[in-house]
Amino acid sequence: MDWNYLCVGMVSAVLSSQWINFLIVILVTCFVIIIASYIYSRFSRGVTRELQNLNEIMGRAEDQNFKEEIKIGRIDEFIRLGAAYNKLISRIHILVNEVMREKLNAKQAQLVRAGRRWIIPSMPGK
């Protein structure tokens, strides 16, 4: 009888230690999955927020609002993208101002020419 109790005790001890190891592995796996999910959600939320911000500002630029710059404070790729966007918007703003200035100068020159046509024929002695 002693052997029977000893064998049953050893088998139950081995089974219980395997069960405990199995439970430990399951708990560690769950913990790792929870931590990875948290890190992923934080990262994806930041990416989503930056993309939404970029999309809103680009929408405003589409409506010809070239004065608003984007402010991005995270993720190097978005910082570079924001800097490139700001440079693009600045260049567009400069080009729009140059075109408007050229149109204004052309209009002024046209008015000056039209004014000369009216003034010169009406001058006495000419």
Side-chain angles (χ1 to χ4, degrees), residues 8-95:
V8 169
M10 288 176 67
V11 168
S12 69
V14 168
L15 287 178
S16 67
S17 70
Q18 285 178 347
W19 181 250
I20 289 173
N21 288 341
F22 178 73
L23 286 176
I24 289 173
V25 168
I26 295 294
L27 288 174
V28 168
T29 303
C30 289
F31 182 71
V32 168
I33 289 173
I34 290 170
I35 295 297
S37 297
Y38 176 75
I39 291 170
Y40 175 76
S41 70
R42 295 286 294 180
F43 176 76
S44 67
R45 197 173 321 135
V47 169
T48 302
R49 190 176 321 119
E50 298 297 349
L51 283 174
Q52 287 173 342
N53 186 18
L54 185 62
N55 190 31
E56 287 175 14
I57 301 243
M58 286 180 147
R60 290 186 200 122
E62 187 178 340
D63 295 333
Q64 299 181 359
N65 178 2
F66 300 118
K67 295 179 182 175
E68 190 167 351
E69 290 189 350
I70 193 165
K71 294 168 185 69
I72 296 178
R74 325 173 173 194
I75 308 170
D76 291 341
E77 290 81 8
F78 285 115
I79 291 172
R80 285 193 295 266
L81 182 62
Y85 173 81
N86 290 341
K87 188 175 180 180
L88 172 73
I89 289 298
S90 175
R91 185 70 182 137
I92 288 173
H93 187 65
I94 289 169
L95 290 173

Side-chain angles (χ1 to χ4, degrees), residues 95-108:
L95 290 173
V96 166
N97 285 339
E98 285 177 8
V99 167
M100 295 299 279
R101 195 174 314 118
E102 287 177 8
K103 281 184 177 181
L104 181 63
N105 289 342
K107 189 69 169 174
Q108 286 175 342

